[in-house]
Amino acid sequence: MTLKRFASRGAAVAAFSILARVTILAIGFVNVLLAARLYGSVATGQIGLTSAMVNLGALLALGGTEMMALNRLSGQDDARPAIFTASLIRIGLGGVMVSLLWAAAVVSGLAEPYHAGLGEVLYAGLPLLIALGALRVFCLEVIRASQSIHLYNVVAVTAAMMPLVFLLAWPLLPGDLSFAWVVALSEAVNVTLIASVVWWHGFGLRIVRLSRADLRATLSELRPFYVSSVSVAVYQLDILLMGFFADPAVLGVYVLASRLANVISLPKNAAGISFAPRVAQLFRNQGQEPAFAYTKRISLFYMPLSLVVFVLLWAGGGLVLGFINPAFVAGKPVLVLLCLAHLVLVLTGYSGQFLLLTGQEKLQQGVFVAASAVMILGIVVLVPVMGTEGGALAVLAGALVRGGVSTYVVRRTFGDGVSVWAVASMLLARRQA
């Protein structure tokens, strides 16, 4: 295969991956819109809360195992069975830990505010649902690690569509079920589908007997992946904490506003699929200047698009909420605050990701911890007083800390930046040259 043909094939694969990622995000957005339009705020709140609990619990149970599997199973053919076996053991241990934590929360009464949103059966069986979520995430990463990119994208898009199927079929199901069952039934079908794909293809994986030394050596590599996994999990915390203080109907208004505001970051998230590996490669092989230049060029793609979406939602957010369902019009102040939070993250660019990709993991983790602490404290303090507007204000405060501090740290560490100000400076310098 010639270099030109290889490059063309790589570009096609990247384009297909970006399209698949955008499709998955769009399907998730449509799922929430459909729940809000057809079934109202209670359904939206129950589905949003259950999804957040499953995703957060699954990431805590995995503890970075899925990221380690993606990193380690991509090569080292001889070591693949040992890595696969150790990963399954780690997931089992993580599942037991999460189950014990949930049991303690139920016994102590701390989990009682979630009872109404989950329903009786899922309230008692949440650890099983979390286990299904963890297996889904892990098996998807196993497929991706096998370099079967097209297969991974097809399976991931199919899995994203499953809640949509059950929402459309909801009138055919028993009428006394909580809408949380949309998530539960989707997880059951998705795990069956994805695990069957892994079993059918094999990917050279099998369970082997491990010595204690081999198991410890493999699991010792989890620490950096664990931090990254937990940082992803924290993005589910706003809905989870809001569900502790608010009933499903009120939470549903927040969930819909949150999903609408997420559209502002969609161009940035889509561009990030190709951004990360390229920047890491440039920084490693050519130094920081080409890495910064490439990041700023990517920013020129997504920042204008995000600004257009922000203006549309800022000006017409109330109309959009009312069109979806008149019961959600009260969520306009929440939508405005969450739009501002996403605007901050868009304008500060890939500052946090840039630190992670250039070997500054500890700095990035420090910024993340500070921003998460501000958001969590804000939700705990403000939601009982201000309701959903207080939760949105806490998210905005966390975004300001995350975006502002990461921008400052990047500038101080490298002498350059990737925020909107750095991009504007680059354009001004080009014009003057």
Side-chain angles (χ1 to χ4, degrees), residues 56 78-79 118-119 123 127 144 159 165 177 342 370 377 385 405 409-410:
L56 176 63
D78 294 339
L118 291 172
Y123 181 71
R144 185 155 65 151
V165 172
L177 289 179
H342 281 275
L377 182 61
V385 179
V405 175
V409 171
V410 169

Side-chain angles (χ1 to χ4, degrees), residues 31-350:
N31 288 340
V32 175
L33 292 186
L34 189 64
R37 177 72 176 175
L38 297 181
Y39 306 113
S41 58
V42 172
T44 308
Q46 289 178 342
I47 293 171
L49 175 63
T50 309
S51 296
M53 297 182 81
V54 170
N55 291 333
L56 176 63
L59 289 169
L60 292 177
L62 288 164
T65 307
E66 80 286 6
M67 296 184 182
M68 184 187 76
L70 176 62
N71 182 272
R72 295 285 307 279
L73 291 177
S74 300
Q76 305 184 49
D77 291 340
D78 294 339
R80 287 166 66 87
I83 296 168
F84 180 67
T85 304
S87 298
L88 291 178
I89 293 173
R90 173 60 184 83
I91 293 172
L93 294 174
V96 171
M97 177 197 71
V98 172
S99 298
L100 292 175
L101 288 174
W102 179 250
V106 170
V107 171
S108 66
L110 189 63
E112 186 59 31
Y114 301 113
H115 202 156
L118 291 172
E120 195 67 41
V121 175
L122 294 182
Y123 181 71
L126 183 65
L128 177 59
L129 189 55
I130 288 173
L132 294 177
L135 284 175
R136 166 180 55 82
V137 174
F138 177 70
C139 289
L140 273 173
E141 294 307 313
V142 167
I143 295 173
R144 185 155 65 151
S146 69
Q147 306 300 318
S148 302
I149 303 300
H150 290 301
L151 177 62
Y152 167 80
N153 288 326
V154 169
V155 172
V157 170
T158 303
M161 292 182 63
M162 211 53 65
L164 182 62
V165 172
F166 283 106
L167 277 173
L168 294 174
W170 189 256
L172 305 176
L173 300 176
D176 58 342
L177 289 179
S178 162
F179 278 92
W181 278 95
V182 170
V183 180
L185 295 172
S186 300
E187 289 292 353
V189 173
N190 281 337
V191 166
T192 303
L193 168 68
I194 298 168
S196 297
V197 171
V198 173
W199 176 80
W200 179 265
H201 284 267
F203 302 122
L205 303 174
R206 66 183 187 278
I207 297 175
V208 296
R209 186 180 181 87
L210 292 177
S211 67
R212 290 185 179 181
D214 289 338
L215 180 60
R216 283 197 299 269
T218 303
L219 296 182
S220 66
E221 302 178 22
L222 269 175
R223 185 176 179 182
F225 299 105
Y226 180 78
V227 173
S228 298
S229 184
V230 171
S231 67
V232 173
V234 167
Y235 293 124
Q236 311 289 332
L237 268 181
D238 62 332
I239 293 177
L240 186 66
L241 291 173
M242 290 286 295
F244 185 85
F245 296 104
D247 61 56
V250 175
L251 179 63
V253 175
Y254 180 87
V255 169
L256 179 60
S258 176
R259 294 298 181 268
L260 281 173
N262 284 346
V263 179
I264 295 172
S265 295
L266 178 60
K268 178 181 177 182
N269 293 335
I273 296 172
S274 60
F275 158 80
R278 179 61 174 160
V279 167
Q281 182 185 39
L282 284 172
F283 187 84
R284 183 174 58 251
N285 297 333
Q286 300 181 38
Q288 72 176 53
E289 188 173 339
F292 273 104
Y294 179 79
T295 304
K296 291 172 186 177
R297 288 198 301 272
I298 291 290
S299 300
L300 286 174
F301 160 74
Y302 74 79
M303 283 184 179
L305 292 176
S306 294
L307 284 172
V308 170
V309 177
F310 170 79
V311 171
L312 291 175
L313 286 177
W314 180 274
L319 294 175
V320 174
L321 290 170
F323 175 77
I324 295 170
N325 192 318
F328 290 90
V329 174
K332 183 179 178 180
V334 175
L335 177 60
V336 169
L337 290 170
L338 293 177
C339 285
L340 286 172
H342 281 275
L343 179 65
V344 168
L345 296 178
V346 166
L347 295 182
T348 53
Y350 289 115

